Amino acid sequence: MTISNSNSPIARREALQDRLEQLTRMIEIRFVEDRIQKLFAEGHIRGSTHLASGQEAVSVGIARSIDPDDIVTCTYRGHGHALALGVTPEGVIGEICGRVIGCAGGLGGSMHLVEPEVGLLPTAAIIGAGLPIACGAAMAARARGKDRVAVSIFGDGSANIGAFHESLNFAAIRKLPVVFVCENNLYGEYTRIELSTPVEDIAVRAASYNMPGVIVDGQDVDKVAEAMGVAVARARRGEGPTLIEMKTYRYSGHSRSDPATYRPAGELDAWLKRDPIDILADRLVSESILAPGGLDQLKAETRDAVERATGQVLDSAAPDLGEILSHVSASSAGGDQRWHFWP
Ligand SMILES: Cc1ncc(C[n+]2csc(CCOP(=O)(O)OP(=O)(O)O)c2C)c(N)n1
């Protein structure tokens, strides 16, 4: 029995302790992103979007390892993280379609997902921006005496931004409860990693800041959760930050308009052989949690649920654009009430 269909972000997060739910959520993330691509083709979405198909194990592994009270920052490639943390499919698809049912009321769009109830700070298009913000959240938690960890998720390209180095340095000096998670999907926009980054492993940079640097198989949700568990425990003990590098791959190009023709032949096929959904499904079959052939049924049920969510989104109204200004500053009418991260 899975509860991926629940419309409560907290309930969805708590359900991730269940093995079958972990698999279901990874399938949900994949199918929501597939549906988003189709909604673009059908003319329901403006702008662009950045899919993360192939990176689902990172999202679910992180979400199941932290408390709803912890804080997360991530980038424009954040649909999967939002869904894993607990944002509903209606909340994600609705936001991308610009409807009031969306998690930011349809005012934010694809790159600005948010859910205070499960600690998801607004996602951002400025790469590297989430790292200092996570340090700030960790400092705020400490100042308020809260046992709260901040997790910042970013790409390998973002590890070349000044804010990455400043944040790791600052977090190490202050022993802040932060976990820095680099999703190394081998590409930054249209550029392969070796053209922009002189080291193969981002994790080695942790040594400069005297913190643990860990390399993880980002296709394996259990390995992601295990490494996260160690880093989160260290942060909660007051021993400071960790840099975790998740080795993963995005199946699609940088954004909707990118066919990724610059990738070497055969690279995608090699990664598809280690698909994170298949890896977990095979393990659950071997653990007798999933019946042989059960993956197909789970996929069919999840596809139906995503279709129902899409129907609800398309029935939802567009926001009143006059409302935009009410969220511009903390003192704007209503704005500070809606996005409250510090109860
Ligand atoms: C400060 C800043 N500089 C440049 C850009 C343009 N830009 C958008 S995506 C991107 C590459 C990011 O790559 P990576 O961090 O590896 O993330 P991925 O897209 O692979 O998830 C760049 C340089 C930006 N958004 N922000």
Side-chain angles (χ1 to χ4, degrees):
M1 216 310 256
T2 58
I3 69 143
S4 277
N5 294 338
S6 166
N7 60 9
S8 153
I10 291 274
R12 278 169 52 83
R13 169 71 76 79
E14 284 169 356
L16 273 193
Q17 295 314 316
D18 181 85
R19 296 290 273 157
L20 218 42
E21 183 66 27
Q22 291 161 15
L23 178 62
T24 309
R25 193 69 56 87
M26 283 164 57
I27 298 168
E28 177 189 273
I29 294 170
R30 177 78 52 89
F31 287 173
V32 165
E33 294 217 302
D34 289 351
R35 194 63 181 88
I36 288 166
Q37 208 163 16
K38 198 160 161 241
L39 282 161
F40 260 111
E42 293 165 355
H44 293 292
I45 308 178
R46 291 177 215 166
S48 191
T49 197
H50 306 81
L51 305 181
S53 286
Q55 303 185 191
E56 295 85 356
V58 179
S59 301
V60 170
I62 291 172
R64 78 183 226 208
S65 310
I66 57 175
D67 295 340
D69 200 31
D70 293 326
I71 289 278
V72 179
T73 71
C74 66
T75 69
Y76 48 81
R77 205 176 297 289
H79 311 160
H81 301 315
L83 289 161
L85 290 168
V87 181
T88 60
E90 304 87 85
V92 171
I93 302 171
E95 195 49 46
I96 294 166
C97 289
R99 308 297 176 104
V100 290
I101 200 173
C103 58
L107 297 170
S110 165
M111 297 192 249
H112 304 110
L113 307 176
V114 58
E115 183 48 80
E117 220 188 323
V118 285
L120 177 64
L121 285 173
T123 64
I126 311 295
I127 68 167
L131 286 92
I133 293 172
C135 290
M139 284 184 75
R142 181 176 286 173
R144 289 163 191 255
K146 301 247 184 196
D147 180 24
R148 216 170 186 187
V149 170
V151 178
S152 185
I153 310 168
F154 51 93
D156 45 286
S158 311
N160 296 326
I161 292 282
F164 167 87
H165 299 278
E166 293 172 13
S167 301
L168 266 68
N169 189 61
F170 186 76
I173 287 291
R174 299 279 181 122
K175 287 202 184 320
L176 293 178
V178 186
V179 183
F180 297 103
V181 180
C182 178
E183 291 185 280
N184 186 350
N185 58 22
L186 300 184
Y187 291 88
E189 238 170 348
Y190 321 105
T191 310
R192 208 167 192 286
I193 185 164
E194 61 266 18
L195 296 173
S196 65
T197 309
V199 290
E200 190 184 337
D201 301 320
I202 304 295
V204 301
R205 292 183 170 173
S208 300
Y209 305 105
N210 195 24
M211 69 175 75
V214 185
I215 297 177
V216 173
D217 175 4
Q219 304 307 96
D220 185 331
V221 70
D222 293 328
K223 298 228 169 85
V224 170
E226 192 186 325
M228 280 298 297
V230 173
V232 167
R234 170 182 155 86
R236 290 205 207 282
R237 284 195 305 270
E239 292 173 14
T242 301
L243 172 63
I244 306 181
E245 176 183 2
M246 310 286 185
K247 300 281 192 189
T248 186
Y249 195 76
R250 59 171 150 80
Y251 293 162
S252 53
H254 169 69
S255 61
R256 183 174 78 95
S257 51
D258 172 20
T261 45
Y262 45 80
R263 293 196 295 212
E267 185 178 80
L268 172 62
D269 290 336
W271 280 89
L272 283 167
K273 288 192 182 121
R274 296 205 67 245
D275 184 84
I277 293 173
D278 293 338
I279 289 175
L280 181 58
D282 289 348
R283 190 167 300 147
L284 295 191
V285 170
S286 71
E287 290 171 9
S288 304
I289 293 173
L290 183 69
L295 180 60
D296 288 342
Q297 193 194 335
L298 217 46
K299 282 186 176 174
E301 286 167 12
T302 309
R303 204 182 288 281
D304 285 351
V306 170
E307 225 28 69
R308 281 194 300 278
T310 304
Q312 282 183 45
V313 167
L314 296 179
D315 286 343
S316 172
D320 171 5
L321 291 187
E323 209 206 318
I324 286 179
L325 292 179
S326 72
H327 300 286
V328 170
S329 75
S331 58
S332 303
D336 49 345
Q337 295 302 314
R338 184 161 181 171
W339 312 121
H340 203 90
F341 283 85
W342 297 100

